[in-house]
């Protein structure tokens, strides 16, 4: 039975795409290697915080089903690959999932199908890695028998204003005809499309977007470190600078960057630069600054505890918000982990409060969760606001009886110290 779309990889990117496809009236199947993801979705459960169980119910009533059987790909008009592109143990790009997904697609590819890679990777991935696997293992030719495109994902988890339909989408094809087919497909899902010259430009555009954030976050963090050293209020500096209506985009300092994009994607750019013998100095400088931020927060916290006369072994610190950014449940690469590790190494008891995160631990050691903000503050010598979730009552934090280290510049109060 032919379907309009098979989404390969049903995570933070693939599942919202499948939902958008269902709501646009396309018949949609999701293929994932994880049996728990597939079983959960087919039982009506969501594992992604931006997708509710009501969304899954709506998708299922539109005909959506998940499967771990790759033969579902055979019936697809379009196949979109949304698998992870993380790092290996030695910090290098790990394209294992892209290669495996490409092999699954190749094994079931039919003539006439459009295949799109959405996973973030370095320039050349679509042409040099995905294309040879698809052509070699299917015996079909790009541009003649099937179409191959790259269209970088722009999902922003937790963003209530921008979703797939109203975020402009960059689209590219290996040939002009491939691009034309990709434009026709995404035109059914997205309001504004931007066609790049080729797949390498689209791949590079995605890396630029995330590296831009990475470098600018590093810059404001370094400004914060300098302001701390010479006694300037960095939050006032940022507030003043952000009033410029042109030529300045605001970024905020904090305990570091997390998630599976901002800290990871610059590694893909650096790896490509290494292969090409190009020295990308901005990247290493930014990485150096950002890697120092968790330790800076730990240093500020321990200084506050000694001002309070609290010996570190025996002091109790509560981390407020342990996800990698506000209003999400995702704790991947969260700076809360190195902050907690640094405090624990000094003998401090660390607990956390985060309504979005039911379980959190560091180095295999679980951390106690305090369910309510009031109880979290009452039982702590020091609270550290790491993420300003919108559910946090900032006026409660401002009036808290315990000392608060605010790394996000959101709380003003007698016992509040800003990063
Ligand atoms: N999460 C984000 O906010 C975000 C934003 C923009 C871009 N991206 C990029 O999108 C891509 C996907 O990221 P994600 O966050 O959705 O990942 P994820 O880990 O949330 O989900 C990936 C899914 O793919 C499945 N999978 C792995 N290998 C597979 C295979 N060979 N065949 C089928 N399924 C397979 C996994 O089981 C998992 O369910 C990455 O390249 C990432 O960098 C992510």
């Amino acid at each position: 039975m032919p379907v309009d779309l098979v989404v390969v990889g049903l995570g933070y990117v693939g599942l919202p795409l499948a939902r958008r496809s269902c709501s646009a009236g396309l018949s949609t199947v999701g293929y994932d290697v994880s049996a728990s993801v597939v079983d959960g979705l087919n039982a009506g459960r969501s594992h992604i915080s931006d997708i509710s169980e009501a969304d899954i119910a709506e998708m299922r009533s539109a005909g959506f089903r998940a499967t771990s059987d790759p033969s579902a790909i055979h019936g697809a008009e379009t196949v979109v690959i949304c698998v992870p592109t993380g790092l290996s143990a030695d910090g290098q790009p790990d394209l294992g999932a892209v290669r495996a997904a490409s092999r699954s697609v190749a094994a079931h590819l039919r003539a006439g199908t459009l295949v799109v890679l959405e996973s973030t990777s370095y320039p050349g991935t679509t042409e040099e890695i995905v294309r040879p696997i698809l052509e070699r293992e299917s015996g079909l030719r790009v541009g003649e028998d099937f179409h191959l495109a790259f269209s970088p994902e722009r999902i922003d988890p937790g963003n209530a204003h921008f979703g797939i339909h109203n975020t402009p989408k960059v689209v590219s094809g290996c040939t002009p005809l491939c691009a034309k087919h990709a434009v026709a497909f995404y035109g059914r899902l997205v309001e504004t499309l931007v066609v790049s010259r080729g797949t390498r430009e689209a791949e590079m555009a995605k890396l630029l977007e995330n590296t831009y954030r990475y470098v600018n976050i590093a810059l404001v963090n370094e400004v914060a470190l300098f302001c701390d050293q010479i006694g300037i209020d960095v939050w006032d500096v940022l507030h003043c600078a952000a009033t410029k209506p042109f030529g300045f985009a605001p970024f905020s300092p904090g305990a570091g960057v997390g998630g599976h994009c901002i800290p990871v994607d610059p590694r893909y750019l650096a790896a490509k630069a290494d292969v090409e013998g190009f020295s990308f100095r901005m990247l290493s400088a930014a990485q150096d600054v950002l890697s120092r931020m968790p330790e800076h927060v730990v240093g500020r916290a321990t200084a506050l505890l000694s001002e309070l006369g609290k010996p570190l072994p025996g002091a109790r610190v509560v981390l407020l918000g342990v996800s990698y950014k506000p209003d999400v449940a995702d704790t991947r690469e969260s700076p809360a982990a190195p902050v907690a590790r640094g405090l624990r190494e000094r003998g401090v008891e660390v607990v956390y409060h985060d309504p979005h995160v039911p379980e959190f631990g560091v180095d295999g050691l679980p951390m106690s969760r305090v369910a309510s903000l009031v109880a979290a503050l009452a039982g702590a010598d020091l609270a550290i606001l790491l993420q300003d979730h919108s559910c946090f009552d900032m006026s409660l934090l401002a009036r808290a009886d315990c000392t608060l280290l605010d790394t996000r510049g959101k709380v003003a109060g007698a016992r509040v110290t800003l990063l």
Side-chain angles (χ1 to χ4, degrees), residues 200-212:
R200 285 156 51 93
E201 283 77 9
E203 289 161 335
M204 189 66 202
K206 174 69 188 187
L207 291 188
L208 171 61
E209 288 166 21
N210 282 356
T211 304
Y212 171 84

Side-chain angles (χ1 to χ4, degrees), residues 7-16 31-35 37-38 47-48 67 73 81-86 96-104 117-121 152-157 206 210 259-261 264-265 268 324-325 330 332:
V7 178
V8 177
L10 297 168
Y12 285 89
V13 168
L15 196 57
Y31 162 65
D32 200 293
V33 287
S34 161
V37 165
V38 168
H47 57 292
I48 300 294
T67 179
I73 292 166
I81 300 173
C82 306
V83 296
T85 44
V98 169
R99 287 196 171 87
S102 301
R103 284 194 294 272
S104 301
L117 178 67
E118 285 210 7
S119 302
T120 307
S121 187
E153 224 312 314
R154 276 180 169 166
I155 287 276
D156 183 19
K206 174 69 188 187
N210 282 356
H260 258 198
C261 292
V264 172
D265 298 352
Y268 276 67
Y324 81 88
K325 70 172 195 171
D330 192 347
R332 297 179 298 181

